[in-house]
Amino acid sequence: MTAINKLPDAEFEIMKIVWQLSPPVTSSMLMELLTKEGGKAWKLQTIHTLLGRLVERGFLKTRKSGKERFFEPLIGRDEYLQYETQSFVKQYYGGSRLNLINAMYQNGSLKDDEIDELIQWMNDQRKKQ
């Protein structure tokens, strides 16, 4: 398994689109969606550079057919988000998920219905074990 490392923001934007599309994807498909969803024009050379970096980092695999290059994810969206979340909790909350939840509760960002959902989720997780 490839070791996962944090992605720079621009590379993460590319990966979000790759995960959204049915693989394989092309740079022109990416450029169209990035421009549509992000509201800014991306240069094709920038997309090619970022795709090359993602291949080097082990996030994508590539193959060439004729003049077109196709890309497929090697690391899934959920796998990457789990890595990012664990890294965030470790860095900012000393690895304590409880400290993270407490911080969200203390500043009022958790509503009653979200707390109910969280309790239900925890009960469901306990039943699975």
Side-chain angles (χ1 to χ4, degrees):
M1 183 175 149
T2 304
I4 299 177
N5 292 308
K6 182 171 177 47
L7 288 173
D9 290 345
E11 291 175 28
F12 182 63
E13 290 303 312
I14 298 285
M15 285 305 298
K16 285 194 311 190
I17 301 297
V18 170
W19 288 320
Q20 183 180 323
L21 296 170
S22 296
V25 301
T26 64
S27 54
S28 19
M29 292 166 70
L30 288 166
M31 190 160 141
E32 181 181 327
L33 270 175
L34 283 165
T35 301
K36 182 178 167 184
E37 292 187 4
K40 75 171 191 173
W42 287 66
K43 293 182 180 174
L44 192 55
Q45 184 58 43
T46 302
I47 292 173
H48 285 173
T49 299
L50 295 172
L51 287 168
R53 288 181 189 164
L54 287 163
V55 169
E56 287 173 16
R57 291 178 193 267
F59 278 84
L60 295 174
K61 68 179 178 178
T62 184
R63 67 178 166 78
K64 193 171 183 177
S65 179
K67 290 186 176 184
E68 192 70 72
R69 191 165 283 285
F70 297 91
F71 298 89
E72 294 184 47
L74 291 172
I75 295 175
R77 177 185 174 275
D78 291 343
E79 183 181 1
Y80 181 73
L81 293 178
Q82 184 177 33
Y83 159 79
E84 277 283 13
T85 302
Q86 289 173 349
S87 177
F88 176 82
V89 171
K90 184 177 179 181
Q91 181 176 359
Y92 294 101
Y93 295 97
S96 170
R97 291 160 192 82
L98 185 56
N99 287 345
L100 169 65
I101 293 169
N102 189 46
M104 292 183 335
Y105 181 75
Q106 293 300 320
N107 72 11
S109 64
L110 276 179
K111 307 293 182 243
D112 286 345
D113 60 330
E114 292 172 319
I115 293 169
D116 292 341
E117 279 183 57
L118 188 56
I119 290 169
Q120 181 61 50
W121 179 84
M122 288 188 299
N123 287 334
D124 291 345
Q125 295 304 308
R126 181 172 280 158
K127 288 176 188 175
K128 288 180 185 178
Q129 293 179 352

